[in-house]
Amino acid sequence: MALSRAFGVALHLWLWRWRLELVPKRRDWWRLRWQRLAPMLHIGLPSAAENVAYRLALMFTIALVARMGAGELATHTYTMQLMYFVLLSGLAIGFASEILVGHMVGAAALHEANHLVGKSLVWGLAVSTSLALVAALTARWTMSLFTHDPHVIETAQTLLWITVLLEPGRTFNLVVINALRATGDARFPVAAGVLSMIVVMAGGAWLLGVHWGFGLAGVWFAYAADEWLRGLMMAARWYRRGWVPHARATHWRVSAKRRQLQDVPATWQNTL
């Protein structure tokens, strides 16, 4: 994991130099530019809080699964590994949309940003659902790479079919939440997301999986319900234009910063 992180940093430094002609200097590794950092923290801190809430809710559900037995915990772990491969496509589309929407907001091209998010959703839903179907259809063979226990393989197949239901909801999350952040609308996704994770994901996993005795399938249905609830709330936020005031404020800040840079001598701009 440490080597993969180091490789990622090296790759980004190379891309900065190749595509953006940005070459960090030695002082850039330790000097904090608070004026530049503040608008990033406006988006980054709520995003980090949402990730922390998700991890805590996930840990709670895994603790519930662990109490069901070693076989259920192994099944949960193996299925999650396969599900992460399905997740990669939606995650890539979501990150790409975030970058492009950010550029469009900076250029005040809000109609184009709205069109892009719709197009990204179509692509994300098509790709992620297709991959989830492939994972469910091939589960008997892929799960044999992890275990030969017939009960684990059969249960994992059930969970992967539930994943087919789960993935479209997750795609709404990955695409629309990232787009909302790119416009500067970062607090609503956190507030709505944390509430859903606590009540639907964690609470639903206990209610369906433990209290009502549906086991792993109940936990997975709680995952799907959480993804769909958050995804639909984010989609409603986007299509009701709740992000537009934030996008306009973000564009104004970017424009003000651009005007400041235009007043600075060119020889100074690389050091800002």
Side-chain angles (χ1 to χ4, degrees):
M1 185 178 292
L3 289 174
S4 70
R5 296 293 185 179
F7 174 78
V9 171
L11 180 61
H12 277 85
L13 291 173
W14 176 71
L15 287 171
W16 288 359
R17 180 189 296 268
W18 176 46
R19 301 291 295 181
L20 303 176
E21 298 182 358
L22 294 176
V23 182
K25 296 179 171 53
R26 185 176 301 174
R27 65 176 179 271
D28 293 328
W29 292 95
W30 56 270
R31 182 183 175 187
L32 293 178
R33 296 176 173 84
W34 291 108
Q35 188 175 4
R36 287 281 182 98
L37 193 60
M40 290 187 284
L41 291 177
H42 174 76
I43 297 175
L45 287 180
S47 175
E50 183 186 5
N51 286 327
V52 169
Y54 178 81
R55 293 293 180 182
L56 290 175
L58 183 63
M59 287 172 61
F60 176 80
T61 63
I62 293 175
L64 294 177
V65 172
R67 293 186 177 185
M68 298 176 187
E72 282 71 15
L73 182 59
T75 306
H76 183 279
T77 302
Y78 297 152
T79 310
M80 289 291 286
Q81 303 311 310
L82 292 179
M83 192 172 69
Y84 286 149
F85 283 101
V86 178
L87 167 68
L88 286 176
S89 60
L91 195 62
I93 294 173
F95 284 156
S97 300
E98 181 178 12
I99 294 169
L100 293 174
V101 168
H103 279 287
M104 292 173 180
V105 168
L110 302 189
H111 291 288
E112 289 81 354
N114 185 58
H115 176 71
L116 173 71
V117 170
K119 187 177 180 181
S120 298
L121 269 176
V122 171
W123 276 102
L125 289 170
V127 173
S128 63
T129 304
S130 299
L131 290 176
L133 277 170
V134 171
L137 290 170
T138 60
R140 182 171 297 276
W141 296 276
T142 53
M143 287 304 298
S144 64
L145 299 174
F146 299 100
T147 180
H148 296 291
D149 187 325
H151 174 71
V152 172
I153 294 175
E154 182 180 354
T155 306
Q157 283 183 287
T158 302
L159 299 185
L160 286 170
W161 280 111
I162 298 174
T163 301
V164 177
L165 172 66
L166 179 152
E167 281 304 323
R170 195 204 302 274
T171 299
F172 276 99
N173 271 316
L174 295 174
V175 173
V176 183
I177 285 182
N178 286 332
L180 288 172
R181 289 175 187 152
T183 66
D185 188 7
R187 295 183 180 178
F188 174 81
V190 174
V194 170
L195 181 63
S196 177
M197 291 170 199
I198 294 174
V199 177
V200 180
M201 182 178 176
W206 173 83
L207 183 66
L208 296 173
V210 178
H211 185 69
W212 287 349
F214 289 106
L216 272 179
V219 174
W220 231 255
F221 275 119
Y223 290 165
D226 168 61
E227 295 289 354
W228 270 103
L229 178 60
R230 285 190 287 131
L232 292 176
M233 286 192 295
M234 299 308 121
R237 176 74 167 184
W238 182 267
Y239 288 110
R240 290 180 180 179
R241 307 294 191 268
W243 55 275
V244 172
H246 299 276
R248 288 172 177 166
T250 299
H251 173 70
W252 182 87
R253 288 195 300 269
V254 171
S255 299
K257 186 64 178 178
R258 186 182 297 119
R259 288 192 295 269
Q260 290 178 5
L261 288 174
Q262 289 174 351
D263 295 334
V264 175
T267 55
W268 294 4
Q269 291 185 13
N270 291 332
T271 64
L272 290 178

